[in-house]
Amino acid sequence: MVKGKGKNNFTIFDETIEHQSFERRLLENALRQAIIDNQFYLEYQPKLNIATNELIGMEALVRWKHPELGIIPPVKFISLAESTGLIIPLGEWILRESCRQTKELHDKGYGNLSVSVNISVRQLEDPYFIEKVQKVLDETGLDSKWLEFELTESIFADLKNTVSILQEVRNLGIQISVDDFGTGYSSLSYIKHLPVDTLKVDQSFVKDIHVNQESQAIVLAVLNLAKTIGLNVIAEGIELEEHVDKLSEKGLLFGQGYYYSKPLKSDAFEEFINNNNAIA
Ligand code: C2E
Ligand code: MG
Ligand code: MG
Ligand code: MG
């Protein structure tokens, strides 16, 4: 492994790297197998109008149920799926499953629900992406106006032809939301050049909004910006009544978070809808 010079200094370092890449390979193989065996399922987190508590839709979040390791959260495998390219088949499955289950809900009479699907930059780089999305829409029968893609701010730096791809997505009738908004390094003004519909305020600004004036100022700035250029705003990570109160006071209308519900398996989500309808 160590080639000649600086032997002693580098041995330990090399072993660590080797160990890491060994674990990585194990996980990568497990991920490959998981895709073949379909060890994934989706949970759905409700999105609400926080003024009326009306349910407006849900975010689909992938989970991996490994036969021995149990449930593995997305932070543990999404970046590996991205760097290995496995996000391409996995992402397609996530999209199809989200659309299929949403169409199923619509057919059961829950007609006005949108589904938000997280999409990686790697998927947008796939030359067949738009074709695949169109195919999923055709096959599942979901009207594209109920579909939204959540993209993190980083895509606007990483992706060369961002604007044209986003435009193609929108031409399909799909909404676009900027996830974790405010955490990227980009200036706010770049947003006006992009074909997006919604800004999703990152949960780090929500967490302490009831006690932190800077977080309040940031949320207010996002709301003002969105109003000026005609975008919607949603907040994620709402955990407390104080969060709801402060966000409402600033003029925010839509949100999601543990205060309303954790992400739920599809049957539990359906129960949530029923209870929500009973209140509304
Ligand atoms: P994200 O898209 O920003 O999703 C929000 C994350 O915050 C989710 O974690 C959700 O369960 C969690 N969350 C929701 N409400 C609250 C709250 O009130 N408090 C706190 N502390 N957390 C809350 P999750 O499901 O572990 O997903 C983490 C990230 O993994 C996602 O962040 C997204 O970037 C990625 N991810 C999840 N599912 C997918 C997927 O299907 N495709 C892709 N490409 N990425 C995904
Ligand atoms: Mg998201
Ligand atoms: Mg987010
Ligand atoms: Mg996030």
Side-chain angles (χ1 to χ4, degrees):
M1 189 82 260
V2 180
K3 288 169 202 139
K5 55 192 169 186
K7 235 180 271 177
N8 293 333
N9 284 342
F10 288 110
T11 309
I12 291 170
F13 182 64
D14 274 8
E15 275 173 3
T16 309
I17 298 284
E18 222 169 87
H19 180 69
Q20 278 175 357
S21 65
F22 178 71
E23 289 210 320
R24 211 184 111 95
R25 269 201 304 277
L26 276 185
L27 195 64
E28 184 181 331
N29 288 337
L31 194 56
R32 270 178 213 289
Q33 195 59 45
I35 290 170
I36 294 166
D37 296 346
N38 195 16
Q39 295 169 6
F40 301 95
Y41 65 95
L42 299 181
E43 288 190 339
Y44 295 95
Q45 186 175 41
K47 295 188 175 194
L48 295 95
N49 178 319
I50 68 170
T52 63
N53 280 340
E54 184 198 354
L55 185 66
I56 56 165
M58 58 278 181
E59 176 175 8
L61 295 155
V62 69
R63 271 83 182 97
W64 175 9
K65 190 165 188 284
H66 188 276
E68 280 107 42
L69 302 172
I71 292 169
I72 305 173
V75 286
K76 292 260 172 70
F77 66 87
I78 288 292
S79 71
L80 182 65
E82 286 171 348
S83 63
T84 54
L86 291 169
I87 194 69
I88 303 293
L90 178 58
E92 194 179 340
W93 180 84
I94 292 166
L95 179 64
R96 177 171 284 107
E97 188 65 3
S98 303
C99 292
R100 188 187 69 74
Q101 291 191 312
T102 303
K103 175 70 164 104
E104 207 171 277
L105 287 174
H106 288 182
D107 290 345
K108 284 181 181 171
Y110 310 114
N112 295 324
L113 296 176
S114 304
V115 67
S116 305
V117 180
N118 294 284
I119 303 286
S120 296
V121 66
R122 281 298 295 270
Q123 291 175 269
L124 293 177
E125 285 167 354
D126 173 6
Y128 300 105
F129 180 69
I130 296 293
E131 227 172 275
K132 287 175 183 170
V133 173
Q134 181 64 66
K135 189 155 176 267
V136 166
L137 288 169
D138 292 344
E139 285 171 6
T140 59
L142 182 72
D143 186 333
S144 62
K145 73 176 180 192
W146 303 111
L147 180 59
E148 177 179 72
F149 288 167
E150 292 193 7
L151 311 168
T152 55
E153 264 182 288
S154 62
I155 73 133
F156 306 114
D158 295 351
L159 197 63
K160 286 187 192 70
N161 45 349
T162 306
V163 173
S164 67
I165 290 180
L166 295 190
Q167 201 54 62
E168 283 186 77
V169 168
R170 273 178 131 204
N171 290 345
L172 294 178
I174 298 163
Q175 306 271 312
I176 297 172
S177 162
V178 186
D179 206 347
D180 306 339
F181 188 70
T183 58
Y185 41 78
S186 316
S187 73
L188 289 185
S189 59
Y190 79 100
I191 278 295
K192 80 167 192 271
H193 302 296
L194 292 171
V196 300
D197 305 280
T198 299
L199 304 178
K200 192 165 189 186
V201 176
D202 189 67
Q203 49 191 60
S204 58
F205 306 115
V206 173
K207 200 156 109 179
D208 60 1
I209 191 160
H210 54 311
V211 290
N212 186 319
Q213 297 206 338
E214 282 166 22
S215 291
Q216 290 172 25
I218 288 165
V219 169
L220 201 56
V222 173
L223 283 164
N224 286 332
L225 170 79
K227 200 174 188 180
T228 309
I229 58 182
L231 302 178
N232 303 311
V233 181
I234 185 164
E236 65 180 341
I238 300 176
E239 292 185 356
L240 304 170
E241 196 169 350
E242 287 93 321
H243 294 158
V244 179
D245 293 344
K246 192 51 87 176
L247 289 164
S248 306
E249 180 194 308
K250 300 291 173 201
L252 184 131
L253 211 50
F254 303 109
Q256 68 186 94
Y258 297 163
Y259 175 74
Y260 298 104
S261 170
K262 296 204 163 191
L264 302 168
K265 290 185 182 174
S266 57
D267 49 346
F269 183 76
E270 215 174 303
E271 245 171 73
F272 181 93
I273 303 177
N274 286 326
N275 295 336
N276 180 271
N277 284 347
I279 304 163

